């Protein structure tokens, strides 16, 4: 799905501190132990993604057997991506697209939180996931973004998949784990994802204009149009202009 490209780009565009690698390694090991603990105690499927290294570590609690997920006998599976494809392909397509939109909103929500408060929040989605026989199960997905020890970037993403055990009124909520407060992500904040100029360019793209004609219409260079195109794809985490227009419309940007 093209919106994955948008999210990947948002993550990779962050600047990470390059020094004190030993401390980062220690912190990563600590969070890997935490992820493993969630899998063991909650019987959850847990994915810890290092957005700097574009690597994920997967841990399988007993719930993975219900979904028919095949995995190695080792304690940990490592993949060279921040996207757990064999898990994502089990999610109902409509739920999956909404999940990505909410994660994009949550990522921008978290970037605007003070660093000291970022550990307070997680995103909760209700998903339908398919088992090996084709039957769907109601699943609670929780996403935590973990800031890097030094600097201001969001470094790790911790995803937990477990059976839905309580009824909730909304399919997607931001939860403050300190106060217990729950809130919907405000769609009015979506307007901040793209700049006014990027929205102008995207509206013209949506009308079918080529870069040359967009440049003439806005009195800017073709190189500037190209730069805006790349920024739009990056910020919306999509692969092409068609998907960018679709996501932007869903977010109410154009």
């Amino acid at each position: 799905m093209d919106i994955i490209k948008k999210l990947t780009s948002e993550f990779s565009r962050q600047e990470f501190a390059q020094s004190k690698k030993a401390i980062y390694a220690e912190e990563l090991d600590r969070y890997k132990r935490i992820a493993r603990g969630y899998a063991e105690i909650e019987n959850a499927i847990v994915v810890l993604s290092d957005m700097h290294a574009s690597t994920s570590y997967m841990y399988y609690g007993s719930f993975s057997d219900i979904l028919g997920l095949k995995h190695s006998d080792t304690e940990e599976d490592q993949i060279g991506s921040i996207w757990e494809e064999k898990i994502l392909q089990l999610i109902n397509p409509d739920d999956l697209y909404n999940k990505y939109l909410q994660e994009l909103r949550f990522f921008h929500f978290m970037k605007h939180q003070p660093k000291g408060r970022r550990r307070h929040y997680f995103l909760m989605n209700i998903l339908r996931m398919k088992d090996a026989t084709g039957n769907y199960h109601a699943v609670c997905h929780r996403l935590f973004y973990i800031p890097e020890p030094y600097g201001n970037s969001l470094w790790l993403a911790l995803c937990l998949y477990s059976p839905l055990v309580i009824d909730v009124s909304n399919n997607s909520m931001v939860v403050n784990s300190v106060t217990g407060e729950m809130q919907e992500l405000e769609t009015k904040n979506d307007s901040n994802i793209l700049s006014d100029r990027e929205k102008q360019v995207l509206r013209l793209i949506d009308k079918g204009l080529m870069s040359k004609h967009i440049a003439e219409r806005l009195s800017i260079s073709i190189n500037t149009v190209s730069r805006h195109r790349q920024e739009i794809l990056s910020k919306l985490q999509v692969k092409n202009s068609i998907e960018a227009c679709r996501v932007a419309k869903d977010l109410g940007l154009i």
Side-chain angles (χ1 to χ4, degrees), residues 20-35:
K20 303 183 179 179
K21 292 184 177 180
I23 295 178
Y24 276 78
E26 291 177 4
E27 283 291 287
L28 179 59
D29 284 341
R30 183 165 77 91
Y31 282 106
K32 287 167 71 173
R33 291 193 296 271
I34 291 172

Side-chain angles (χ1 to χ4, degrees), residues 97 101 105 190 194 202-203 205-207 236 241-254:
Y97 185 74
L101 285 179
R105 290 182 172 123
D190 293 346
L194 298 180
L202 192 55
R203 289 189 190 101
I205 292 173
D206 190 44
K207 291 180 179 179
L236 296 181
S241 297
I242 294 175
E243 186 65 16
C245 291
R246 178 191 176 193
V247 171
K249 288 176 181 177
D250 286 344
L251 295 174
L253 302 180
I254 61 174

Side-chain angles (χ1 to χ4, degrees), residues 53-70:
S54 191
T55 302
S56 294
Y57 307 91
M58 303 177 66
Y59 306 90
Y60 302 89
S62 296
F63 182 51
S64 63
D65 297 330
I66 299 296
L67 296 182
L69 277 172
K70 297 180 180 180

Side-chain angles (χ1 to χ4, degrees), residues 1 4 58 69 79 81-91 96 100:
M1 186 175 293
I4 295 179
M58 303 177 66
L69 277 172
I79 59 174
S81 170
I82 62 172
W83 303 105
E84 59 277 19
E85 187 60 35
K86 69 178 181 178
I87 294 176
L88 298 176
Q89 66 184 3
L90 301 180
I91 300 174
L96 184 60
Y100 289 138

Side-chain angles (χ1 to χ4, degrees), residues 10 12 15 31 34 43 49 56 65 83 93 116 137 145 150 160 165 174 188 191 210 225 250 254:
E10 282 283 332
S12 63
E15 295 183 1
Y31 282 106
I34 291 172
N43 288 309
S49 298
S56 294
D65 297 330
W83 303 105
H137 298 258
Y145 283 129
Y150 299 93
L160 290 78
V165 296
V174 173
K188 66 180 182 180
S191 61
M210 305 297 290
V225 174
D250 286 344
I254 61 174

